[in-house]
Each structure stands twice: as C-alpha cells, then as structure tokens.
Amino acid sequence: MVHQAFGHPNALVSFELMFVAKLNIVFEKTQNPYKRLMMKTLIGIISAILLINTNCHECNPDLVKEIQGYKHVVEQITEEILNGASKGLCYDRLAEFVDAYQKRITGSQVLEDSIDHLLKKYQSEGSVMDKTWKEPVPNVPHWIRGEEEVFLIQPVHKRMSVLAFGGSVATPSGEPVVAEAVVVTSSNDLRSLDTSQVSGKIVVYNQGFEGYFRSNIQVYRDNLYSEIAKLGAIAVLVESSGPLSINSPHTGIMMYLEGERKMPVIAITKEDAQMLRRMYLRGERIVLSVKSNANTLEPSMSYNLIADYNGTKHPDKVVVVSGHIDNWDVGQGAMDDAGGMMIGLISVEIMNRLGLRPKRTIRNILWTAEEQGKLGSKHYFDQHKNELDKFVFVMESDAGTFDPQGLIYTGDRYNGECIIKEILSLLSNVSLFKHRWTSGWVSTDITHFTDAGIPGVGLWDTDGEPDGRYFYFHHTEGDMMTVEDPDALDRAVILWAVTAYIVADITEDFPRMSPEMLLVM
C-alpha cells in the first residue's frame, strides 16, 4: 500500500532517505542532550529499516549483464597498470609534480605556475586530452604566514613547534606578546571562566582528537573563538588536530566573524598541548611568549583547470573526475591533494593508451582554493548551475591515496547502488573493494553537485578515516612524497579508471535519486 501511494517501487526508500536526512539536519542543530539521544535512536531505527528495504531489491538483470560485459576492459586496465608500461606511472608523475611545485597556497605564484604547467602539458600536441582550459575564480584569499614563534618562558624554557592558522592575524606590530596562560579542554571549561580569569592572557585549547571536525576546527566554529575573544584573551594556541604527532603542528583555515576582536590563532603540537595541561593541573604558573607577523593581502585571482576526454556518442554529457590542486604553505601537498588529482589524470591517460573511449565525456577538474573553503568548486558550480542536466556523475579523491578500500557513494539506492556494486565485483582480482552508501558528504568539492541530486563517489581510503594515517600528515610539513606508495597509487588508479570508464560508457545515464526525495532535500 505504501509503495503504491508513492507510485514508484523505490519511493518508500526515497521517503525514508529524506526523513533520515532531515532528522540528521535537526540533530546537528539540537543542543538538548535528551532530544539528541531520542533523535539518534530514531535515526538508527529508520536506517535499519532502510537497509532492509534497499537490500530486498534485486538488481536489474539486464543492467548486471551489461556491467559484467566490461570484464575484458577491466582486465586490460588492470594488466596495463599492474604489469604493463603504466606500472608506477602515477607515482612518478606525482613525484615530479610535487617536487617542482610545493606549497601551492592561494595567492602564491607557485600555485598559478603549477596550474599553467599542467595547462600547457595538456594543451600540447599529442596530449591525451581533447580540450584543456582554465576558468577564473576571483577573490581567493592571499594570506602570508611570515615569521612565527612561541616560547614557553615559565616554568621551564622551551621553543615550541607552531603553525598559525590560515587567515590568522599577527601579534600587535608583529612583535612578541608575553602573558600567563590559561589551559582549557572543552567549551564547558571555557564557559566556567570569567573575564577576570582570561583577560590579557593566552588561552591554550587542549581539546584532544575526536575526529577532524570535532577537534581544532571547533575553536572557530560553534562560536568558541568568539567566546574566547569576548573574555579578553590576547592569543589562542590550539592543540593540533590528529591522532598522532611527532612534534608536528597542523595548520588549517580559520575565519573571524565580522566585527569581532581579532587575535592570533596558532596551532601547537599535541605533545606541547598535553605538557601545558599537565603543568596547569599541577597549579604551576605558565608564561608564554607568542610572536606572529602573518599578513592578509588583497584577494587575488586563481583558476580551476579543466580537461575533457570527449565521449563518442554523448559528448555533451559529463562524468567529472576531480581533486584539488592547491595545498597549504607546508609540505608538498602530496596526499592533500596532488595524489587525488593525479589518479584522475592518469586514469584518462591509461584509457587513451588502451584505445578506450567511453560514450560520455570524462572531465578532469583540478579545483583551486579548496583549502580556503571550497571556493573553486563553489564558483564553478555557480557558473554552471544551469547546465546540471549535463552532469551525469561526479567523482573526487580528497582523503588520501594510501590504501584504497573502495568507494563512498551517494545517490539512488536502487539501480544506482547496483551499478556501484557490480563495478566493484569486477575488481575482485585486484582487491576486495567495497562501497559505503551515505545520504550526505562523500568528498569536499563535489558536495555542491551531490547536494543538487547528482550521484557521486569519493575514494574510500581507511587511512582517511578520523583516526587514520591521513591525519598524521594532514596540513603539516610531513605531507611529502615520502608518505605515498607506488603500489597503493596503482590500485587507486585502477579503481578510479574502471569506475569512471564504465559509468561514462554504460547505455543509460547513471540514475539519479527519485523526485520524491529531491523535492524535500
């Protein structure tokens, strides 16, 4: 009866998906712990019902047969990468790129030179790409780190390893400020203090690591930074976000609210944050010296780089394969995210070497200004939002390329999820790749597209999980080519190339979510 009321065999699933998605939104905004517990329980129950409903559907046998017909193509791609001339190609190209173009932060000449280098490469005669161009992204931030240093003065003397957050202001006149420190571990800790206890002092935020979006980012989200500023602190030192540290501070983006008092926000290492906490709990007086001459210049122009590998039958329909080209001003950005963008470029090169050309166009997009808040992808989406009917599927890798486990997928849970399962089944000789469905985020820059109902996948890398190895090096000087492994990159290219090719070549367009769900998302 319910299925008939919705008028589509998958409509009940879509309704359940919609309800779960809406509950999740309300859950994130609710502060009352009892209401949060009730909603979390309800989400769990409905998700379990949803899993039963979706699993009871069998895949369209014609669709299964068509995808299984790509077995020979998959074998060609796999053989070329694992045992042929393309073995290790991705590693070599990635190393060449990041060794030449390091610290590709927005506003820097290095970033623009790296974009122009690839533009020239893929526009040259004999390029595998049919058309390569760049599209402007105006008003990207231009922040310069400058000199920075933090010293522990009392109870012992120690120079600390630090990295200011991108967008942070300098200390007054770029000179050191010396003050006593107050150490807090949570927002509740902070709210237990008043102005007399914080004014004129340096706040050390030793919050531990509970996943990237629940640790150091919390200092300037949820208005916590604003609360610190209102209490009169003169600087904030934040424990770096990561499950492991070798005295390695992590940087990242921060933004001040309009009109609020600004002060430096600087990341310190996990080791130093925990040391300061121990001293504070023992009642020892902690005195710190903080210096930063960071500077924000006028916004600049950057560019997204786009390269098309034209389809044979439906060249106007597009499968996006993407990663971001910018990184922070530390390390080489090998894993975040040059590795992600490179597996897409190499995937197309492998197809060309093997004479494989799908029915639809594969569009490589190298996003700029991802680290500054997805500015490149947001601008591209806004500029092309009247063409969304042309975008069939979107892919992005931005969680490391260490040891690919499969795909994180969002989209239709009927034939769409069947396609993903069947593609991965063809790769059983390479790895036991798996998939994970979600109603929300799969990868950062393609969020604009998936939120608009376009199905997509992110590369599932276990080391990109909240406690994974990715966050050992994320936004640190340790994000160097050394963390990459040629065999793991080869497996990632196989997974990426096979997925992109089959999705771009199958007879029918990859199915989108049902109208019932899109209507209320």
Side-chain angles (χ1 to χ4, degrees):
M1 290 294 291
V2 178
H3 283 252
Q4 290 176 354
F6 277 89
H8 188 283
N10 199 31
L12 177 60
V13 171
S14 294
F15 177 76
E16 290 163 343
L17 284 169
M18 171 271 293
F19 196 56
V20 169
K22 291 299 180 184
L23 274 177
N24 271 304
I25 292 170
V26 176
F27 175 78
E28 291 299 324
K29 294 180 179 179
T30 301
Q31 299 299 318
N32 186 299
Y34 299 106
K35 288 184 178 179
R36 286 176 66 88
L37 179 61
M38 289 175 62
M39 280 189 284
K40 192 170 184 179
T41 303
L42 186 56
I43 288 169
I45 293 171
I46 296 174
S47 296
I49 296 170
L50 176 63
L51 184 62
I52 294 169
N53 279 333
T54 54
N55 285 343
C56 73
H57 292 299
E58 293 185 1
C59 295
N60 182 319
D62 292 335
L63 185 60
V64 172
K65 183 178 179 180
E66 180 179 9
I67 294 174
Q68 290 299 318
Y70 286 97
K71 186 175 181 180
H72 178 63
V73 171
V74 173
E75 289 173 349
Q76 279 184 281
I77 293 172
T78 302
E79 179 64 21
E80 171 66 20
I81 296 172
L82 292 186
N83 302 307
S86 299
K87 182 176 177 60
L89 176 65
C90 188
Y91 182 91
D92 292 341
R93 291 282 178 82
L94 177 59
E96 181 183 7
F97 177 79
V98 299
D99 287 347
Y101 302 101
Q102 306 183 31
K103 306 181 191 304
R104 303 177 301 280
I105 188 171
T106 56
S108 71
Q109 191 59 47
V110 176
L111 172 60
E112 301 313 312
D113 287 348
S114 72
I115 294 169
D116 288 341
H117 163 73
L118 291 176
L119 176 68
K120 182 178 180 181
K121 174 182 175 65
Y122 289 110
Q123 282 183 338
S124 63
E125 186 176 352
S127 168
V128 301
M129 301 300 182
D130 296 296
K131 182 182 179 183
T132 304
W133 69 102
K134 61 182 186 178
E135 295 185 7
V137 180
N139 299 316
V140 301
H142 187 183
W143 177 82
I144 298 174
R145 179 175 302 281
E147 184 183 356
E148 55 195 7
E149 57 185 27
V150 175
F151 286 95
L152 174 60
I153 306 298
Q154 290 183 22
V156 296
H157 193 275
K158 180 183 190 295
R159 179 168 189 154
M160 299 164 65
S161 295
V162 299
L163 286 174
F165 281 77
S168 173
V169 298
T171 50
S173 303
E175 296 300 318
V177 294
V178 179
E180 192 172 340
V182 176
V183 183
V184 297
T185 59
S186 67
S187 56
N188 289 335
D189 262 6
L190 180 67
R191 289 162 188 158
S192 70
L193 304 174
D194 58 30
T195 303
S196 66
Q197 296 168 291
V198 178
S199 182
K201 295 182 180 179
I202 296 165
V203 171
V204 177
Y205 192 62
N206 166 225
Q207 77 286 357
F209 184 73
E210 299 177 10
Y212 185 65
F213 292 100
R214 295 182 61 84
S215 47
N216 70 350
I217 288 184
Q218 188 180 348
V219 97
Y220 50 90
R221 293 188 179 171
D222 301 330
N223 297 319
L224 189 56
Y225 170 84
S226 298
E227 293 184 34
I228 295 172
K230 289 174 184 176
L231 290 172
I234 60 173
V236 184
L237 304 182
V238 185
E239 179 182 343
S240 286
S241 183
L244 180 73
S245 172
I246 309 176
N247 205 41
S248 45
H250 295 226
T251 190
I253 188 66
M254 74 151 298
M255 301 174 188
Y256 301 98
L257 297 179
E258 187 174 352
E260 71 182 354
R261 186 174 63 84
K262 298 178 181 179
M263 59 184 164
V265 180
I266 297 174
I268 61 176
T269 68
K270 183 179 292 291
E271 294 90 340
D272 284 338
Q274 293 177 357
M275 175 189 68
L276 294 175
R277 178 65 178 170
R278 293 192 300 273
M279 291 174 173
Y280 190 73
L281 290 175
R282 289 194 293 263
E284 298 175 24
R285 183 171 184 263
I286 301 171
V287 178
L288 296 164
S289 172
V290 177
K291 174 184 177 180
S292 167
N293 55 24
N295 190 19
T296 298
L297 305 180
E298 288 298 312
S300 62
M301 180 73 76
S302 190
Y303 297 86
N304 291 317
L305 183 64
I306 302 106
D308 276 0
Y309 187 62
N310 289 343
T312 58
K313 187 174 181 180
H314 307 292
D316 58 326
K317 293 186 176 182
V318 174
V319 171
V320 171
V321 179
S322 67
H324 68 87
I325 192 168
D326 66 307
N327 72 312
W328 280 105
D329 59 337
V330 291
Q332 294 180 311
M335 61 162 216
D336 185 20
D337 179 40
M341 72 168 198
M342 193 61 68
I343 64 171
L345 294 170
I346 298 301
S347 292
V348 171
E349 186 161 338
I350 299 299
M351 293 177 204
N352 187 70
R353 287 187 177 191
L354 296 174
L356 300 172
R357 190 171 285 269
K359 297 179 179 71
R360 298 167 191 81
T361 294
I362 294 178
R363 176 168 295 172
N364 275 120
I365 305 182
L366 311 187
W367 311 110
T368 193
E370 184 275 344
E371 300 292 4
Q372 311 300 327
K374 304 183 292 186
L375 301 182
S377 57
K378 177 65 166 62
H379 187 75
Y380 181 89
F381 180 83
D382 289 343
Q383 294 295 306
H384 296 274
K385 60 186 175 184
N386 293 327
E387 309 165 24
L388 293 185
D389 58 322
K390 297 179 181 179
F391 291 86
V392 174
F393 196 79
V394 288
M395 301 170 61
E396 185 188 26
S397 170
D398 187 18
T401 45
F402 291 115
D403 187 17
Q405 299 297 298
L407 302 171
I408 304 173
Y409 164 68
T410 188
D412 172 66
R413 293 215 71 180
Y414 190 41
N415 283 330
E417 192 167 17
C418 285
I419 292 171
I420 298 300
K421 289 179 180 177
E422 291 302 318
I423 289 173
L424 297 182
S425 75
L426 294 172
L427 291 165
S428 58
N429 289 337
V430 178
S431 180
L432 295 177
F433 290 127
K434 52 195 176 183
H435 83 284
R436 185 175 75 204
W437 179 87
T438 175
S439 62
W441 184 93
V442 294
S443 194
T444 305
D445 279 306
I446 59 173
T447 300
H448 315 292
F449 295 89
T450 56
D451 283 351
I454 298 170
V457 293
L459 185 68
W460 184 1
D461 189 317
T462 53
D463 286 317
E465 297 294 316
D467 60 348
R469 189 160 56 110
Y470 177 76
F471 289 106
Y472 296 179
F473 313 107
H474 181 249
H475 295 179
T476 75
E477 290 286 4
D479 184 358
M480 302 287 288
M481 193 62 203
T482 306
V483 307
E484 297 287 354
D485 175 76
D487 292 336
L489 281 167
D490 282 348
R491 290 194 296 275
V493 173
I494 291 170
L495 175 59
W496 226 224
V498 166
T499 302
Y501 181 80
I502 294 177
V503 168
D505 194 64
I506 53 178
T507 303
E508 300 294 332
D509 289 348
F510 198 99
R512 295 195 179 189
M513 290 183 185
S514 63
E516 293 93 343
M517 184 173 181
L518 291 179
L519 187 64
V520 291
M521 283 296 284

